[in-house]
Amino acid sequence: MFQVIGGRSGQAARLLASGRAVLVEAVRGRKSRTDPVAKSKEGRIKVPPPVDPVEMVVLKERYTEYQMIMRALRLEFKEEVLRKKYEEETGSLAEERARQEAEEHRALMAWNNEENLRMLKVRMMRIKKEEEEAERKRLDTAIQREQEQQEFLKEKEREILQLQEEAKNFITLENLDQRIEEALDNPKNYNFAVDKEGRVIKQTVLQ
C-alpha cells in the first residue's frame, strides 16, 4: 500500500491507471494526543541537559543588561515622539510660555533684589543698635567701676580718719606714766561670764 501527499494525489492516480511505476514520497505523520507511547521510548526518563552555572550567570547578566538597554531605548524613543508631537501641536504656545516665564523670571529677580536690599537695611540697623547697646553697656560699666573706685577711696579715707582718731589713745613713751596711773586708779575686772545674748551673768570681785 502506498501513501501519497497533497497535490500529487491526482498525478499518482493517473500513473497507477497507466500501469507505470509510481514513486511515492514517505511522509511521517504526527501523533494524536490519544496515541500510546512508542515501544522504543517506554521507560525512558527525560533528563534535562546539564547547565553550566558560570554560563547561566553570564547569560542572566547579559539578559538583564539587554532588558535595561531595550527599556532605555524604548523610553528615549517614546520621549522623542512625545516631544515632537508636543512641539508640533503647541509650538506657538511654547513660545508664549517661554516669554511669560522670562517675564516672570525678571519680575522675581527684581523682587529678590528689593528683598535683599530691605534685608540689608534691616541687618545694618540691627548691627547699629547692637553697637549702640554695647557702647552703652561699656559706658555703664565704666561709670559703675568709677563709682566703686570712689566708694573704695572714701572707705579708705574713713578708715584712715578712724585710725587717726584711735591713734590719739595709743600708749606712747610720752604718756606711758599717765596711762599707768590711770589704770591703777581705775582697775577693771575682766573675769566674768556671759550668756548667749552677751549679757554678764557672773563676775568675780576684785581683791
Side-chain angles (χ1 to χ4, degrees):
M1 184 176 181
F2 298 97
Q3 182 180 5
V4 295
I5 60 174
R8 298 183 180 181
S9 58
Q11 184 179 1
R14 287 193 299 270
L15 290 174
L16 286 174
S18 63
R20 297 170 59 183
V22 180
L23 297 177
V24 180
E25 183 178 358
V27 177
R28 178 180 176 184
R30 291 185 175 275
K31 292 177 59 176
S32 65
R33 294 181 181 274
T34 59
D35 291 340
V37 181
K39 293 182 178 180
S40 62
K41 296 182 180 179
E42 289 181 354
R44 188 182 69 172
I45 300 175
K46 290 186 178 181
V47 179
V51 179
D52 186 2
V54 178
E55 184 179 0
M56 180 60 68
V57 171
V58 174
L59 289 176
K60 285 185 177 180
E61 291 179 354
R62 291 182 178 178
Y63 183 65
T64 303
E65 184 178 359
Y66 167 77
Q67 286 182 324
M68 293 175 61
I69 294 173
M70 294 303 296
R71 188 181 299 111
L73 289 174
R74 283 194 294 271
L75 292 175
E76 186 174 356
F77 293 155
K78 183 178 180 181
E79 181 181 358
E80 184 177 357
V81 171
L82 292 176
R83 184 174 62 253
K84 288 182 178 179
K85 183 178 179 181
Y86 176 79
E87 290 177 354
E88 291 175 357
E89 293 178 352
T90 60
S92 59
L93 296 178
E95 293 178 0
E96 181 65 20
R97 188 179 298 107
R99 186 183 64 79
Q100 293 178 358
E101 290 179 354
E103 293 179 356
E104 183 179 0
H105 177 71
R106 285 193 294 271
L108 290 175
M109 290 300 296
W111 176 84
N112 186 51
N113 294 332
E114 293 177 357
E115 188 67 14
N116 289 337
L117 183 60
R118 186 182 68 83
M119 294 301 297
L120 177 61
K121 292 180 179 178
V122 171
R123 184 164 56 252
M124 292 178 64
M125 291 179 62
R126 186 181 70 251
I127 294 174
K128 184 177 180 181
K129 288 182 179 179
E130 291 176 354
E131 291 178 351
E132 292 176 353
E133 183 67 19
E135 183 64 22
R136 187 183 62 80
K137 289 182 178 180
R138 285 195 294 269
L139 291 175
D140 293 343
T141 303
I143 293 172
Q144 183 178 1
R145 189 181 299 111
E146 183 67 20
Q147 291 177 353
E148 293 176 353
Q149 184 69 19
Q150 294 294 332
E151 291 293 333
F152 177 77
L153 293 176
K154 290 180 180 179
E155 182 66 24
K156 293 302 179 182
E157 289 178 358
R158 286 193 296 269
E159 292 179 358
I160 293 172
L161 293 175
Q162 184 178 359
L163 288 175
Q164 290 177 352
E165 187 66 24
E166 292 176 355
K168 296 178 180 179
N169 298 324
F170 287 174
I171 299 174
T172 60
L173 293 176
E174 289 77 8
N175 60 7
L176 179 60
D177 295 336
Q178 181 182 356
R179 290 300 181 89
I180 292 175
E181 292 178 359
E182 291 176 357
L184 293 176
D185 294 338
N186 301 303
K188 291 184 179 181
N189 184 10
Y190 294 100
N191 189 12
F192 56 86
V194 296
D195 57 6
K196 293 181 179 180
E197 286 74 17
R199 295 173 297 185
V200 178
I201 59 175
K202 187 177 181 181
Q203 186 175 12
T204 60
V205 179
L206 293 175
Q207 299 295 331

